[in-house]
Amino acid sequence: MNPKSVGVIGAGAWGTGFAQALGRGGHKVTLWALEQEVVDSINNEHENKKFLPGFKLSENLTASTNLEEVATGKDFLILASPSLYLASTVKKLVTIPNIAEGDTYIGVLTKGFVPSKNGPKLCLETIENVLPGIYKGNTVYISGPSHAEEVAMGKLTGLIAACENPKNTIIFRELMRVPGLLAYSSLDVIGVQVCACVKNVIAVVYGCCDAISETSDTFGDNSESLLLAAGLNEIQQFGFALGATHAETFTSIAGVGDLDVTCKSKYGRNRRFGQDIIKKNILSNFKDLDDLINRVSEIGYLPEGAIACKYVHEVSAKLNLKLVICDGLYRILNREVEPEEFLRELLRLKKRVKR
């Protein structure tokens, strides 16, 4: 293998886990973190104690709070910033010489929609509108069933590299040819991005159902499988409405694979959030969905599905789509309906609740 220099922008759990996989495979990786404590923890103790505690990190992995330093002169740049901050982060990169000249390959790990004055946008559309023109159609979206903890441990994980330029999908597949990762190509950049975003919304509802099932005579494993299948249908419906090009995207690891692990894994933050809604009545701390998003740091972890839910609701309303599960989570988080009441209504166990 020919080792590459890689900058990873965002030292959250997923950014760190992905960087660890590349470092373990021999690449030289530098992580950008906003917090000095994270940088010190990675550089001095080879562990990201704040966002991915308990995992010894590769000697090939270092960190810095200097964004320009992390991005300068790299063969590859991987964007892993939260969706809310993706656009503002990318704007700081465009004058760096290797980015301005298009010499660095850019990939994106961020999941979700990015807010803009013209409404929510998918990640690749957002950054390609900010980056130099050479990146149009050439940035790569990386997704799949990939909890950071297992990636950091080196447990076998499949990922899809999606790009309009097939050559770039192959280049990223080669980058990810490291122990523990299997990489595949896709040309369906919209479909893969939609799967990565909307599965988090479904997983929150799944977590609610899972928690209710523990003490319910009505809901159980069968109900959860019904919910997962119905959720996949909504993801596919939403994806095609936005311009997804390949039906097999939704039956691949980008679709059903990622949805399954997000709903069922013990590491899933969105599943956990759904469970906490039931078991800890966590929504009682917030007035509505906007209040929750504004104060999301108070939860103690980031449930991406709660943020994505707002944008999926906005986009689906514009497209006149009927996404019952996604709309239901919006109503739950907006304090319009109780989770069990919604699930009963969803499964037609009682009359539909009036808005």
Side-chain angles (χ1 to χ4, degrees):
M1 185 197 75
N2 181 19
K4 302 295 183 182
S5 62
V6 184
V8 177
I9 308 301
W14 182 209
T16 302
F18 188 78
Q20 163 69 353
L22 296 184
R24 187 173 51 235
H27 299 297
K28 295 294 183 182
V29 186
T30 309
L31 263 169
W32 175 76
L34 186 64
E35 307 89 348
Q36 186 64 49
E37 62 181 297
V38 173
V39 170
D40 292 341
S41 175
I42 292 172
N43 289 339
N44 299 331
E45 302 176 62
H46 300 291
E47 180 183 356
N48 187 337
K49 290 186 173 180
K50 183 175 179 67
F51 295 114
L52 196 63
F55 297 94
K56 189 73 172 176
L57 300 178
S58 168
E59 298 284 340
N60 289 328
L61 179 56
T62 57
S64 172
T65 57
N66 187 320
L67 186 66
E68 184 173 354
E69 175 189 330
V70 171
T72 298
K74 297 299 190 293
D75 297 315
F76 290 84
L77 193 65
I78 309 297
L79 304 175
S81 299
S83 58
L84 290 174
Y85 313 111
L86 182 63
S88 59
T89 301
V90 173
K91 286 176 183 177
K92 299 174 184 176
L93 301 171
V94 294
T95 58
I96 295 173
N98 48 293
I99 304 297
E101 296 165 15
D103 294 332
T104 296
Y105 292 102
I106 295 181
V108 183
L109 299 178
T110 303
K111 294 176 170 65
F113 278 93
V114 179
S116 78
K117 62 182 180 181
N118 297 317
K121 304 292 183 184
L122 290 170
C123 293
L124 288 195
E125 179 183 4
T126 298
I127 69 167
E128 287 181 354
N129 284 338
V130 175
L131 289 168
I134 193 170
Y135 286 102
K136 188 74 172 178
N138 288 310
T139 51
V140 176
Y141 192 79
I142 301 166
S143 188
S146 49
H147 281 302
E149 293 83 358
E150 292 196 353
V151 173
M153 284 187 274
K155 291 193 174 184
L156 186 61
T157 299
L159 294 172
I160 283 183
C163 184
E164 292 179 23
N165 183 344
K167 180 181 176 182
N168 283 8
T169 71
I170 295 170
I171 289 170
F172 269 82
R173 276 169 46 196
E174 288 300 310
L175 175 72
M176 294 187 287
R177 188 172 290 193
V178 297
L181 292 185
L182 291 176
Y184 304 89
S185 293
S186 173
L187 302 178
D188 188 3
V189 292
I190 292 177
V192 172
Q193 288 179 91
V194 166
C195 288
C197 171
V198 187
K199 55 98 178 183
N200 288 327
V201 178
I202 306 300
V204 177
V205 182
Y206 188 98
C208 291
C209 186
D210 186 62
I212 292 170
S213 295
E214 292 180 12
T215 57
S216 174
D217 293 330
T218 302
F219 302 110
D221 291 348
N222 295 344
S223 318
E224 292 174 8
S225 291
L226 175 61
L227 181 62
L228 189 147
L232 182 62
N233 285 338
E234 291 197 8
I235 293 171
Q236 184 170 5
Q237 182 185 354
F238 191 69
F240 281 135
L242 286 182
T245 56
H246 292 66
E248 56 266 31
T249 297
F250 303 96
T251 55
S252 73
I253 57 172
V256 69
D258 204 2
L259 175 63
D260 179 76
V261 78
T262 305
C263 287
K264 296 180 179 178
S265 174
K266 63 183 178 181
Y267 299 116
R269 291 186 298 272
N270 294 288
R271 169 194 167 115
R272 175 185 171 187
F273 181 60
Q275 292 173 325
D276 285 347
I277 289 173
I278 304 302
K279 295 182 176 182
K280 298 182 179 180
N281 195 24
I282 198 168
L283 294 184
S284 64
N285 299 321
F286 305 100
K287 182 177 66 175
D288 54 25
L289 178 54
D290 286 335
D291 186 39
L292 188 156
I293 291 173
N294 290 335
R295 298 163 52 206
V296 72
S297 61
E298 296 178 21
I299 295 174
Y301 56 91
L302 180 61
E304 299 98 329
I307 299 168
C309 175
K310 176 178 179 177
Y311 300 126
V312 170
H313 180 78
E314 287 182 19
V315 175
S316 62
K318 286 182 181 178
L319 297 174
N320 198 29
L321 298 176
K322 294 182 179 179
L323 306 179
V324 179
I325 299 173
C326 296
D327 182 59
L329 181 61
Y330 178 85
R331 293 164 58 210
I332 290 170
L333 300 184
N334 216 34
R335 309 296 304 278
E336 297 173 19
V337 65
E338 291 299 317
E340 185 164 0
E341 185 180 8
F342 163 69
L343 285 169
R344 287 181 174 276
E345 142 190 350
L346 174 68
L347 300 174
R348 296 177 182 164
L349 296 175
K350 63 178 290 187
K351 236 187 232 183
R352 182 168 178 81
V353 178
K354 291 183 181 178
R355 293 177 184 250

